Amino acid sequence: PGEASVVFPGPAGAHNWHAMSFNPTTGLVYIPSQEIPTLMKVMTPEDTGGGLSAGGATLFDLLYGLHDPKYRDQLYGEVVAWDPVANQARWRARHVLPINGGTISTAGNLVFQGTADGKFIAYDAANGKVLWNWQGDGSIQSAPTTVAVDGEQYILVASGNSASANLSTYTARLTTTEKSRGPSRLLAFKLGGSASLPPSPPLPPFAKPSRPPVAQDIYRRGELFFEFNACVACHGMDAVAANGSVPDLRRMSDATYRSMRDIVVGGAYQTRGMPAHAHLTDDELAAMAGYLTNKAWDAYNEQEQAKAQR
């Protein structure tokens, strides 16, 4: 067992499902790119699961460089104006988070893109100059589109908490900020538009957890089981949900803790989309409950400290 850090430098980053666009006038392709370094480690025999880990001792602990200062500055997104003939970038615009929305390029030589922190930006397609910038309360991961209604042009784009099926909440830290996990909205923009965005409903405060924190060894085992059983795929990395329809497990009531076996192992909520994990033992389930308890205390203590500093 050992650790190896490998960085694969990419001049344009990675591109996945977020839509790119092409402008025949400029001859450029506008690509939403992602710079996401990952630390890989060979796991020790004591680590349940074995094999390779993306991020130290746990699957997602250092994944995407979120917790490692060495990589944090390398974690970002861009819109890249790429010249496919010259095979080089013409201009770039950097974003705070790596996973942002698709692009659209218009005949008026504008490029529109939404960002993970809720901005909607219009660039000059030729040189990347920001011509207009709007701040919303929801992450924009979709690609904009344009329509004409009664001779008037509109730009449409969706925004929300980024918890769609293809992104999932385990990437919430890459696709949203705490201030851009607003409700699902369809946004429409036009020249001279004057409508204001309705305020997002506030999230309820974290209640003081009903159970005491658990020891670090129990927490550590529970964290491994939470990640190896893919609980992060719906309930979020570090149990931080994206404020969508999937429950935030840091807000679990004592009654829910007592029902965990029926829900997690027995499949009591299968009709709601929660699969049964019949292979989990009582010991593993208890460790996962301890992990979630400590995460609940972390959220509550952070909230109370913020109150005290106001």
Side-chain angles (χ1 to χ4, degrees):
E3 184 175 305
S5 176
V6 181
V7 176
F8 300 95
H15 169 60
N16 201 342
W17 56 76
H18 296 79
M20 56 185 176
S21 58
F22 173 69
N23 187 315
T25 302
T26 63
L28 301 178
V29 180
Y30 302 95
I31 304 171
S33 78
Q34 306 168 9
E35 290 286 349
I36 306 177
T38 302
L39 179 66
M40 302 296 294
K41 178 184 176 183
V42 178
M43 301 184 76
T44 67
E46 290 75 27
D47 289 323
T48 305
L52 280 175
S53 164
T58 67
L59 279 175
F60 298 109
D61 198 30
L62 294 175
L63 181 61
Y64 310 132
L66 285 171
H67 300 296
D68 193 326
K70 291 185 296 183
Y71 302 119
R72 196 169 295 140
D73 292 340
Q74 301 176 35
L75 181 74
Y76 59 88
E78 290 182 313
V79 56
V80 179
W82 189 261
D83 186 333
V85 176
N87 197 29
Q88 64 183 16
R90 188 78 61 83
W91 57 262
R92 300 171 181 271
R94 182 176 287 207
H95 302 311
V96 175
L97 292 178
I99 302 180
N100 301 280
T103 68
I104 187 173
S105 180
T106 70
N109 281 343
L110 299 176
V111 174
F112 290 91
Q113 185 192 25
T115 67
D117 55 346
K119 295 185 178 68
F120 193 49
I121 306 170
Y123 300 94
D124 186 307
N127 56 33
K129 180 181 178 181
V130 175
L131 302 176
W132 174 78
N133 189 344
W134 177 85
Q135 179 67 60
D137 65 353
S139 174
I140 299 178
Q141 295 294 322
S142 61
T145 190
T146 181
V147 298
V149 180
D150 296 330
E152 189 166 26
Q153 186 178 17
Y154 292 81
I155 299 291
L156 306 177
V157 70
S159 74
N161 63 16
S162 180
S164 63
N166 63 344
L167 287 175
S168 184
T169 52
Y170 79 84
T171 59
R173 293 181 181 178
L174 305 179
T175 59
T176 65
T177 65
E178 289 187 5
K179 294 182 179 180
S180 65
R181 295 175 188 166
S184 298
R185 305 184 195 268
L186 178 62
L187 307 172
F189 299 91
K190 69 172 186 175
L191 291 176
S194 59
S196 59
L197 192 69
S200 297
L203 290 173
F206 284 96
K208 187 174 182 179
S210 60
R211 298 187 168 205
V214 300
Q216 185 64 23
D217 60 328
I218 298 174
Y219 167 88
R220 177 75 182 88
R221 293 185 70 245
E223 181 181 36
L224 288 172
F225 293 131
F226 189 79
E227 292 175 351
F228 286 136
N229 287 282
C231 303
V232 293
C234 293
H235 291 288
M237 194 163 117
D238 290 332
V240 177
N243 304 335
S245 59
V246 177
D248 190 320
L249 298 183
R250 297 172 301 166
R251 300 180 182 274
M252 282 170 56
S253 67
D254 195 56
T256 303
Y257 276 108
R258 293 195 301 269
S259 301
M260 275 188 70
R261 166 154 285 282
D262 292 336
I263 298 169
V264 179
V265 179
Y269 289 169
Q270 286 190 89
T271 57
R272 305 185 193 179
M274 170 67 192
H277 294 74
H279 61 282
L280 287 173
T281 67
D282 287 344
D283 179 65
E284 292 167 346
L285 196 65
M288 287 173 62
Y291 165 73
L292 295 172
T293 298
N294 282 20
K295 286 299 181 185
W297 276 105
D298 289 344
Y300 175 76
N301 289 333
E302 183 178 346
Q303 167 188 276
E304 296 307 298
Q305 290 169 6
K307 287 181 182 178
Q309 293 171 359
R310 290 173 187 163

